[in-house]
Amino acid sequence: MIGRVIGGHHDRPPHTRPCGRGTALPSPIVVRPDPRNYPMSDKAASAGQSARTQRYDGPLELLINGEWTQAEDTQTFVVDDPSSGQAVATMADASVADALTALDHAVDAQKAWGALAAGPRQRLLRQAADNVEAAGAELAATMALEAGKPLPEAHGEVGASVAYIRWYVDQIGHTPGHLARSLNGEWDMQTVYRPVGPCLLISPWNFPLLVAARKLAAALAAGCTALVKPAGLTPLTSAVLVRCFVEAGLPAGVIGFLPTTRDADISEALMADARLRKVSFTGSTRVGSILMRQAATHVQGSQMELGGNGPLIVLDDADLDLAVEQTMIAKFRNAGQVCIGANRLILQDSIADEFLEKFVKAASNLAPGSPFEKGTTMGPLISSAQRDRAVSIIRQFVAAGGEVLYGGSALERPGHFMEPTVITGVGVECELAGEELFAPIAVAYRVADDRAATDFANAVDHGLSAYVFSGDLGRALQVADEVEAGMVAINRALYTDPSGPFGGVKASGMGREGGHEAIYEFLESKLIAARLH
């Protein structure tokens, strides 16, 4: 294995072991983007102009038993704008006592919510989807404000979230169970599906709406009550989402909302309570492993979408213009802070130089900036710690023999901005290849052939996403089949859809979100056998 990734997403320290000797870090390359290459829609631009003149005015409290309330100990925490470093809101900080009170009410509400017929449940959740769609401009502006997403990306996340909610609404009518006769013909077997019970839903900061929406919609569609715990860096978007569900008319106690900076204490207390029956978590492998160990005590169900180290393979018969265009999306959207993003660019030797020439030119046209500025095509990193970690990783690659073809530095401006960075010259044996970058850093590796590409793709602990570019569909399918990943995209960067399963293998997690089977993550089958004579 190439290194052992310490964790997924954003909360692990970078590798410290060098892989060789290299040159000193070169002087930063000044970014001179042409914003005309990435125009913003009029709708996004107008929403941005409006957001710049308004502060966040959504919920700033916990939701417990249908009431928005301050934390029991009145503690709060500040939410910052990563594009300026300035505070934008002060949120109630849930305590362990608040979390257990919310669980009390979720338990009380479970029986009635779980017994609600499919039709009424569909009507409530359909209204919630309508509410989220109607709040689209507010949600997009809130994501831009607290997560630094450029408005076009934020609007795209709103649309995807609405699609997931509507998908789960439709799935409610497709889980009635089935009837079968025993093999000897002496009794009938009725299989019915029942909600697992109260769930803890933990969502990350990088997709604060999409991940929370698809977890919440799946749990509620299955008839489970839910405690929503957003990331402390981005609680505002989830607060607006929860408000949309509450205003659809859901009964008190069905949803609890627990923004907090006391994540470990709250999760530990809730997982220690046998009344909680399921945890669905998106985040680092390190934290996911802790939650799974805690779940073992009461045999609680676990759905985990953890870290990634996505290989993006470009074979020698690929359409290089298409590959570059799609790699820009797979690598640099959300400033590289995407669990399914391209983490390792694996290039066949014969086309590597041409690909990198085109790729560096495309990267030079990216426009880092405020998410509300027309022409911005890449926002900030989420925090100064994340930015400093990215700079440290670049220095380690250079120390390992890497060459910075473009970028390489933090930008000297307010906020947590990085230059888009392209690095080459690092061998596949480098320990750093096992590190999830989670930053706008593209590292290119060269391989001789298909076998070398798949061997390197599989030589890490994780297996969430992968990408293959080839002009021969049969060849691409063969490589895709051999890559150890829960999801593989061929000749495209964007592939997630409500109708398809989302999740990984190996250290990237267990269970799936989306697809026909995802609602069953929150259901348990029950057999009822009736003697015929």
Side-chain angles (χ1 to χ4, degrees):
M1 302 292 282
I2 297 177
R4 183 167 185 80
V5 178
I6 300 171
H9 297 245
H10 67 285
D11 64 349
R12 332 73 68 246
H15 255 289
T16 55
R17 285 191 289 170
C19 311
R21 301 181 65 183
T23 58
L25 188 68
S27 299
I29 297 175
V30 177
V31 179
R32 295 186 177 88
D34 181 356
R36 293 171 299 177
N37 290 341
Y38 297 88
M40 179 183 291
S41 70
D42 292 339
K43 178 180 179 182
S46 64
Q49 294 293 334
S50 174
R52 276 194 291 187
T53 61
Q54 299 178 17
R55 289 183 63 84
Y56 170 77
D57 60 1
L60 291 168
E61 299 86 23
L62 322 179
L63 180 73
I64 298 178
N65 199 30
E67 299 290 336
W68 295 100
T69 180
Q70 291 296 323
E72 184 183 65
D73 58 8
T74 70
Q75 293 295 305
T76 60
F77 65 96
V78 173
V79 181
D80 292 333
D81 170 8
S83 67
S84 69
Q86 301 299 309
V88 296
T90 301
M91 175 67 77
D93 192 350
S95 67
V96 168
D98 294 315
L100 293 176
T101 299
L103 179 59
D104 290 340
H105 292 293
V107 171
D108 291 342
Q110 177 59 57
K111 184 174 181 180
W113 179 248
L116 189 65
R121 195 184 308 155
Q122 282 181 312
R123 285 192 290 272
L124 287 169
L125 297 185
R126 192 171 289 118
Q127 182 61 56
D130 291 344
N131 291 351
V132 172
E133 188 169 39
E138 178 186 6
L139 283 161
T142 302
M143 273 187 280
L145 191 64
E146 68 172 349
K149 279 184 188 287
L151 277 168
E153 289 188 32
H155 279 285
E157 186 166 338
V158 173
S161 301
V162 172
Y164 269 99
I165 298 169
R166 296 199 190 284
W167 170 263
Y168 284 116
V169 171
D170 292 341
Q171 295 306 298
I172 294 173
H174 296 283
T175 56
H178 58 270
L179 188 66
R181 182 68 50 85
S182 68
L183 291 179
N184 63 12
E186 294 183 0
W187 67 86
D188 278 343
M189 297 177 293
Q190 181 185 12
T191 302
V192 296
Y193 293 95
R194 298 289 182 256
V196 298
C199 300
L200 173 60
L201 312 178
I202 306 175
S203 55
W205 51 259
N206 59 330
F207 285 88
L209 179 64
L210 177 60
V211 177
R214 70 185 178 201
K215 290 181 187 296
L216 183 58
L220 297 178
C224 298
T225 57
L227 304 179
V228 177
K229 192 176 81 61
L233 291 169
T234 55
L236 307 180
T237 305
S238 295
V240 177
L241 172 70
V242 168
R243 186 197 70 198
C244 290
F245 275 82
V246 170
E247 291 178 350
L250 271 70
V254 170
I255 302 177
F257 179 61
L258 300 169
T260 186
T261 61
R262 296 173 268 198
D263 303 83
D265 292 342
I266 283 181
S267 296
E268 183 178 6
L270 290 173
M271 299 294 290
D273 194 315
R275 298 176 300 168
L276 186 80
R277 297 311 309 149
K278 178 87 177 186
V279 59
S280 178
F281 171 74
T282 297
S284 74
T285 300
R286 179 184 64 82
V287 174
S289 297
I290 292 171
L291 290 171
M292 285 188 283
R293 287 194 293 270
Q294 293 172 345
T297 301
H298 297 297
V299 198
Q300 292 149 325
S302 299
Q303 180 187 46
M304 299 284 154
E305 193 267 284
L306 307 176
N309 190 331
L312 186 146
I313 299 170
V314 184
L315 300 176
D316 58 7
D317 60 355
D319 178 334
L320 292 189
D321 290 332
L322 173 66
V324 167
E325 174 193 78
Q326 295 299 302
T327 303
M328 288 293 295
I329 299 169
K331 177 65 258 182
F332 291 119
R333 71 182 177 116
N334 202 31
Q337 301 168 122
V338 181
C339 59
I340 62 172
N343 203 61
R344 292 167 292 154
L345 309 189
I346 304 175
L347 313 177
Q348 198 160 353
D349 274 326
S350 61
I351 51 87
D353 289 340
E354 184 181 356
F355 176 92
L356 287 170
E357 182 180 358
K358 292 174 180 287
F359 187 66
V360 166
K361 183 177 180 180
S364 72
N365 283 324
L366 284 173
S370 166
F372 296 117
E373 293 175 359
K374 187 173 183 179
T376 289
T377 56
M378 193 176 84
L381 275 71
I382 191 64
S383 67
S384 59
Q386 188 76 352
R387 178 201 60 207
D388 294 346
R389 174 184 171 275
V391 172
S392 174
I393 286 174
I394 292 170
R395 293 185 181 278
Q396 290 176 67
F397 271 110
V398 170
E403 176 188 0
V404 176
L405 297 181
Y406 186 81
S409 298
L411 292 176
E412 294 184 2
R413 57 168 292 171
H416 316 310
F417 290 90
M418 279 287 301
E419 293 176 315
T421 297
V422 182
I423 298 174
T424 189
V426 181
V428 297
E429 73 285 350
C430 181
E431 289 283 340
L432 289 167
E435 179 76 11
E436 183 180 26
L437 303 177
F438 229 63
I441 304 170
V443 183
Y445 303 84
R446 296 169 184 254
V447 295
D449 52 28
D450 299 20
R451 172 52 55 197
T454 55
D455 285 348
F456 179 48
N458 295 336
V460 294
D461 291 344
H462 290 85
L464 184 58
S465 65
Y467 305 83
V468 180
F469 289 87
S470 171
D472 182 335
L473 182 59
R475 182 185 184 189
L477 287 170
Q478 179 65 36
V479 172
D481 185 61
E482 293 177 1
V483 170
E484 297 168 354
M487 301 169 287
V488 183
I490 295 176
N491 293 333
R492 63 181 297 111
L494 300 177
Y495 60 86
T496 57
D497 185 86
S499 63
F502 184 101
V505 299
K506 301 196 293 189
S508 289
M510 61 178 67
R512 294 294 183 266
E513 297 179 352
H516 292 285
E517 65 266 46
I519 194 170
Y520 293 99
E521 293 281 346
F522 296 92
L523 293 168
E524 292 177 323
S525 62
K526 181 177 183 178
L527 174 67
I528 301 174
R531 189 176 182 87
L532 296 178
H533 49 76

